[in-house]
């Protein structure tokens, strides 16, 4: 991470430290809009900060630390799609979505959508799952099954129906969204859309990896403080080697997943969505979310009874980690990684 | 010329050289081969590699093959791994442990005396561990007594890799019993042909016998061969151990990465390529091996830019050891019953031979030697995560 990003990270951490755990949706959203976090990946000629995927990941990591409820990732994806599009009024739309506090959201998992028509007269049918904070959104970012179309769909039309899906992870409010012949505006079509979908899903994997590692780090720190403060058998629990070694194992898993994410971001610079970058994104997301789950599972055990109490935040991390393992592209990441690897070998 | 271009050029150059020079079919040739032929092959390969200037990229400027930037070193390690060149096992301790210790802590005279020998193919071994001093290395007892301009050595070392073939030994001894255990240690350079040295190879679980016991009976070492000060051996030993954890793991992680193809080949060979469970496990292992590479690279960057923190090296070693275990375990699983019927071994390939039970057993080298996984966990939890240290006082309350 370069110096500038480090500074940005320090200030982000300071802001988030006051935001509570979990960081509430409304206040955090307001704050991140005000601080210009949604401008990170917008190029300078469109009045953005012109930073790359690494900046987006850094912010996702900080939000992950605090179990942020705000829909930063789907918003960032919609903004990225708009930036990449050739839409005439994109500057105006971007202004609303970055500093105007308007939300365009997207699915954090899979979707099953078909599109017909072109330009600003698209018709979309199908279903999106795990759309974050859909009730607060004015727009939806949608891509079709065949990746031939990426579109923005106004949320306030009768043909768009969002149904809340309350789940175990209370730090992200997810919705199923049905499109019954909804009208939409194309951001990209054909080969351009295909490349854009690859780019968006790739970015989503990296950002989810960062969110997971932020949470894993925060939870391990919290747990070590607890073990250090709690005295049993006339010793701090943290002095028992059986527990220390487990903490060390979690630390090393986090360190490797972090190194892999950072190394990947460095190596893909400017190549988001390429085959190589997609492969790296899959590995980073897989290793990070598997690590997050492992850390959360272990930390619940290491916390003892208090870990089972809802007032203690350990369970919030556990539930977020369990959900995160299932978010992203559907199907098995491990199997996808193996397949990409075997394909590379045979070339 | 930008540094990017210059490393690209180096990469091409190294790649082309390796293509010409890696002994074709060395894996087959080194399978179940006797010691002599293996040594000959190692000597030849070392000669070629050092003549080309690729055996010592980690040495400082002024030495043949040395003075490479970090980026250049990485390129060479990556290409050597990519070309599946044999490892220089016989010279490993000489090139890394001995050389790094001499560069960091040796006197100018000692460097001039010993480094050229290393370049000429002298074999070194490391004499630290003893029967009663393994993880607790500082409790070692092999005695060095000063008499005039000589030290007289008595005692025993064990688990010393390649000691039976070594010309010289990095020897950690006790010169003082009065203070805390670390304070009384002294670091010496020993000629293995000195009178009073005897070596007994230890037969290993893999069928190989690559380490040995060393016995010392009134062995004389000149004070010229004292590294650092008398009583300062612990600090010098740390330099030796650090060489093992840093640079070598960059190369070894890359080797593991290129050896992932052995897993794919094993699946192909017995028709399990489409097995969905194995494929998932393969995906998991690939991600972990990539994680090990990224962690080792990051460590090297930190080290070079003087940002290394206590415990960083332990993270690298512990993760590597565990990734290697996972990699070899999956290989065993893929090979299945058939894998259990070939007790042969391949020299010069260490833990990446494709003989999965062998590779699996060799993976324990990395979880036991050079500070076991448990010792790395102690370092990470106590010094990095700042968890309290073990209580010092301890009383034996039960019997056996
Ligand atoms: C392949 C190989 C090559 C080697 N090469 C060399 C060499 O060239 N030169 C040399 O000097 N030595 C060498 N060694 C020795 C090596 O450094 C020691 O084996 C190692 O330090 C462990 O010591 P030990 O074998 O006595 O195990 P012990 O110290 O007896 O440990 C036994 C078990 O107890 C655990 N344990 C020990 N202390 C603690 C603790 N405080 N907390 C928790 N668990 C603990 C260990 O992790 C281990 O699992 C080699 C070893 C191997 C396996």
């Amino acid at each position: 991470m370069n110096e500038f990003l480090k500074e940005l990270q320090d200030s982000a951490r300071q802001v988030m430290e006051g935001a509570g755990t979990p960081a509430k949706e409304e206040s955090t959203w307001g704050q991140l809009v005000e601080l210009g976090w949604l401008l990170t990946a917008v190029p300078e000629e469109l009045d953005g900060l012109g930073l790359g995927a690494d900046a987006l990941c850094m912010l996702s990591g900080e939000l992950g630390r605090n179990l942020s409820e705000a829909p930063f990732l789907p918003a960032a994806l919609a903004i990225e799609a708009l930036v990449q599009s050739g839409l005439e009024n994109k500057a105006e739309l971007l202004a609303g979505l970055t500093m105007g506090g308007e939300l365009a959201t997207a699915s954090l998992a899979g979707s099953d959508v078909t599109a017909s028509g072109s330009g600003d007269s698209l018709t979309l049918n199908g279903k999106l799952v795990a759309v974050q904070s859909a009730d607060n959104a004015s727009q939806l970012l949608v891509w079709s099954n065949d990746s031939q179309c990426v579109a923005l769909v106004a949320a306030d039309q009768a043909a768009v129906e969002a149904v809340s899906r309350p789940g175990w992870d209370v730090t992200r409010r997810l919705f199923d969204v049905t499109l019954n012949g909804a009208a939409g505006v194309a951001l990209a079509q054909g080969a351009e859309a295909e490349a854009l979908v690859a780019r968006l899903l790739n970015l989503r994997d990296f950002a989810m990896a960062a969110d997971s590692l932020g949470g894993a780090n925060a939870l391990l720190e919290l747990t070590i403080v607890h073990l250090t403060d709690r005295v049993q058998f006339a010793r701090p629990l943290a002095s028992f080697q059986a527990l220390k070694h487990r903490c060390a194992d979690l630390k090393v898993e986090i360190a490797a997943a972090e190194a892999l994410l950072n190394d990947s971001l460095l190596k893909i610079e400017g190549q988001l969505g390429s085959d190589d970058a997609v492969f790296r994104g899959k590995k980073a997301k897989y290793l990070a979310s598997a690590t997050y789950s492992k850390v959360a599972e272990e930390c619940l055990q290491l916390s003892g009874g208090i870990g089972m109490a809802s007032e203690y935040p350990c369970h919030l991390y556990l539930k977020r980690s369990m959900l995160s393992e299932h978010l992203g592209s559907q199907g098995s990441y491990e199997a996808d990684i193996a397949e990409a690897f075997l394909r590379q070998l045979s070339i | 010329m930008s540094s990017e271009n210059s490393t690209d050029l180096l990469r091409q150059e190294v790649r082309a050289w390796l293509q010409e020079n890696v002994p074709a079919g060395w894996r087959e040739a080194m399978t179940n081969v006797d010691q002599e032929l293996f040594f000959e092959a190692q000597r030849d390969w070392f000669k070629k590699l050092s003549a080309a200037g690729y055996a010592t990229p980690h040495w400082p400027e002024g030495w043949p093959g040395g003075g490479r930037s970090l980026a250049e070193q990485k390129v060479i390690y990556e290409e050597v791994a990519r070309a599946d060149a044999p490892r220089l096992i016989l010279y490993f301790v000489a090139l890394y442990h001995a050389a790094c210790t001499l560069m960091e802590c040796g006197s100018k005279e000692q460097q001039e005396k010993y480094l050229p020998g290393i370049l000429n193919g002298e074999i070194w071994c490391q004499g630290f561990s003893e029967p009663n001093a393994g993880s607790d290395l500082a409790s070692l007892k092999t005695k060095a007594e000063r008499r005039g301009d000589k030290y007289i050595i008595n005692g025993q070392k064990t688990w010393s890799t390649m000691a039976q073939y070594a010309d010289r030994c990095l020897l950690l001894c006790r010169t003082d019993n009065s203070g805390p255990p670390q304070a009384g240690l002294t670091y010496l350079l020993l000629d293995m042909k000195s009178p009073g040295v005897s070596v007994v190879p230890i037969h290993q679980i893999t069928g190989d016998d690559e380490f040995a016991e060393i016995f010392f009976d009134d062995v004389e070492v000149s004070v010229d061969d004292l590294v650092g000060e008398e009583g300062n051996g612990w600090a010098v030993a740390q330099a030796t151990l650090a060489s093992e954890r840093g640079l070598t793991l960059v190369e070894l992680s890359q080797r593991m990465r290129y050896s992932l193809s052995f897993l794919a080949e094993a699946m192909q060979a017995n028709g399990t390529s489409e097995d969905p469970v194995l494929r998932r496990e393969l995906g998991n292992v690939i991600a972990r091996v990539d994680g090990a590479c990224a962690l080792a690279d990051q460590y090297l960057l930190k080290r070079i830019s003087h940002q290394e923190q206590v415990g960083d090296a332990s993270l690298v070693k512990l993760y590597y050891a565990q990734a290697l275990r996972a990699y070899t375990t999956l290989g065993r699983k893929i090979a299945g019953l058939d894998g259990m019927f070939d007790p042969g071994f391949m020299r010069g390939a260490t833990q990446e031979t494709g003989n999965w039970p062998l590779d699996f057993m060799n993976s324990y080298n990395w979880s036991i030697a050079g500070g076991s996984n448990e010792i790395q966990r102690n370092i990470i939890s106590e010094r990095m995560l700042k968890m309290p240290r073990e209580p010092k006082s301890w009383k034996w309350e039960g019997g056996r």
Side-chain angles (χ1 to χ4, degrees), chain A residues 26-217:
Chain A
E26 216 180 276
S27 52
T28 308
W29 176 255
Q31 212 155 19
L32 66 89
V33 168
E34 197 176 312
L35 290 167
W37 288 6
L38 292 166
L39 286 168
T40 14
V42 178
E44 280 161 307
E45 57 271 23
L46 288 167
D47 299 326
L49 296 174
L51 300 171
D54 50 350
L56 208 71
C57 285
M58 181 279 287
L59 292 172
S60 297
E62 294 309 312
L63 290 161
R65 281 185 71 88
N66 282 61
L67 304 171
S68 157
E69 297 175 355
F72 176 71
L73 173 55
L77 292 177
I79 289 166
E80 174 70 13
L82 199 53
V83 166
Q84 298 296 325
S85 81
L87 224 57
E88 256 171 40
N89 59 338
K90 78 175 175 186
E92 187 189 321
L93 285 172
L94 276 173
L97 294 180
T98 53
M99 297 303 284
E102 270 175 58
L103 170 65
T105 189
S107 165
L108 295 180
S111 59
D112 179 13
V113 172
T114 57
S116 58
S118 64
D120 58 5
S121 53
L122 289 175
T123 306
L124 297 116
N125 280 292
K127 191 171 169 186
L128 317 172
V129 297
V131 182
Q132 194 178 0
S133 303
D135 55 345
N136 287 337
S138 59
Q139 305 270 351
L140 300 168
L141 172 71
V142 177
W143 49 89
S144 62
N145 289 341
D146 57 6
S147 296
Q148 294 299 303
C149 178
V150 179
L152 272 185
V153 173
D156 64 353
Q157 38 182 324
V160 174
E161 191 193 357
V163 178
S164 165
R165 294 275 309 266
W168 282 107
D169 175 20
V170 294
T171 66
R172 281 170 293 189
R173 297 184 309 110
L174 301 183
F175 292 76
D176 280 352
V177 175
T178 315
L179 307 174
N180 289 312
V185 177
L187 297 179
Q189 287 189 285
E192 276 176 15
E194 219 165 301
L196 182 55
V197 173
R199 189 180 172 90
L200 294 171
L201 298 186
N202 195 192
L203 190 60
R204 193 173 72 175
D205 276 346
F206 282 122
M208 283 183 175
D211 182 284
S212 291
L213 293 172
N217 268 315

Side-chain angles (χ1 to χ4, degrees), chain A residues 241 245, chain B residues 126-129 134-135 158-161 210-211 365 368-370 372 374-375 378:
Chain A
Q241 195 184 51
H245 279 195
Chain B
Q126 176 185 308
F128 286 12
S129 305
S135 299
T158 193
W159 316 128
S160 183
T161 305
E210 60 114 44
F211 53 28
N365 289 0
I368 296 175
S372 67
E374 287 74 19
I375 296 305
N378 282 349

